[in-house]
Amino acid sequence: IAGITQAPTSQILAAGRRMTLRCTQDMRHNAMYWYRQDLGLGLRLIHYSNTAGTTGKGEVPDGYSVSRANTDDFPLTLASAVPSQTSVYFCASSSLAAGELFFGEGSRLTVL
Amino acid sequence: AQSVTQPDIHITVSEGASLELRCNYSYGATPYLFWYVQSPGQGLQLLLKYFSGDTLVQGIKGFEAEFKRSQSSFNLRKPSVHWSDAAEYFCAAPNYGGSQGNLIFGKGTKLSVKP
């Protein structure tokens, strides 16, 4: 089934550790996004990529980095995790800049 | 600045009752508009979208939404709610102002369904 695959589904991490959340799409969408979802704050954009080889900062980029080496993959890295990065992370993609987003199932990250 | 507002944080309705979830937007021009649903532990799924044309839009799972320019609203409706509709609902519109090309989401409305 075509769509977005995120891994891991869930992870508990010690503060200070490095973590990479993986995201792969098979819809050949140009644009990909990482959001975090927190209670009462809704969805907030972390980083985005409008096309392979380019990335940009969203609303809450600090402490996160991304890369877009090819169309399909868009990993999100936490270089040194902190407890405030405990959240549910969603990867999404779209074929148009202002078009609908398709979401993965999410990665629940707990930083202790 | 562009914004999407969902005034209701939490709504409870009885199974079989009608439902209306409110969404207001603040944009200079008529935006594209979307409604997404998120079941517990799941990602967001597109319910319906408005791009242009007919202001009453039909979506999946029996939902519809009406775009009203005069009220800057895009309210989601369902005539008879089922217990499986319990979820969180998000209204969204494109972020035209920035270079990001992504959607701005409302804070969401959590729907509970009473038996």
Side-chain angles (χ1 to χ4, degrees):
Chain A
I1 298 176
I4 295 181
T5 303
Q6 289 185 236
T9 303
S10 180
Q11 182 76 45
I12 299 174
L13 188 66
R17 298 297 296 268
R18 180 184 180 90
M19 178 71 194
T20 295
L21 303 180
R22 301 183 297 278
C23 176
T24 299
Q25 56 111 352
D26 60 5
M27 296 176 282
R28 307 302 293 171
H29 286 167
N30 290 328
M32 296 187 74
Y33 313 88
W34 274 105
Y35 288 87
R36 59 178 290 174
Q37 184 177 32
D38 303 287
L39 194 63
L41 298 177
L43 286 156
R44 293 181 292 169
L45 183 68
I46 304 170
H47 283 287
Y48 67 96
S49 169
N50 285 334
T51 189
T54 69
T55 63
K57 294 182 180 180
E59 181 183 356
V60 288
D62 295 342
Y64 306 94
S65 64
V66 292
S67 61
R68 188 88 184 276
N70 57 61
T71 298
D72 298 341
D73 300 300
F74 191 45
L76 176 73
T77 297
L78 289 68
S80 179
V82 295
S84 62
Q85 292 177 311
T86 294
S87 187
V88 181
Y89 292 86
F90 287 98
C91 181
S93 71
S94 70
S95 59
L96 300 171
E100 66 188 86
L101 296 183
F102 294 82
F103 285 85
E105 292 295 299
S107 295
R108 181 175 294 276
L109 183 65
T110 302
V111 183
L112 302 176
Chain B
Q2 301 158 91
S3 67
V4 175
T5 304
Q6 293 179 248
D8 305 305
I9 296 173
H10 189 186
I11 285 181
T12 300
V13 300
S14 298
E15 190 168 16
S18 63
L19 171 70
E20 183 169 30
L21 302 181
R22 296 184 291 166
C23 173
N24 295 99
Y25 65 89
S26 173
Y27 277 73
T30 300
Y32 299 164
L33 293 161
F34 307 84
W35 273 101
Y36 284 84
V37 60
Q38 183 182 31
S39 298
Q42 303 292 313
L44 279 72
Q45 179 185 17
L46 182 70
L47 275 177
L48 49 78
K49 58 189 177 185
Y50 171 77
F51 278 3
S52 65
D54 194 345
T55 56
L56 185 62
V57 180
Q58 301 297 321
I60 62 171
K61 304 184 180 186
F63 284 91
E64 66 179 26
E66 186 171 13
F67 169 66
K68 292 186 177 180
R69 187 195 310 273
S70 61
Q71 299 177 19
S72 297
S73 69
F74 188 57
N75 294 350
L76 182 71
R77 301 194 296 244
K78 187 170 185 177
S80 177
V81 170
H82 188 262
W83 63 267
S84 61
D85 293 325
E88 190 153 20
Y89 293 80
F90 294 90
C91 183
N95 180 18
Y96 291 126
S99 61
Q100 299 175 13
N102 65 87
L103 297 184
I104 297 174
F105 287 86
K107 292 286 193 284
T109 299
K110 184 177 180 180
L111 174 66
S112 298
V113 180
K114 293 189 299 185

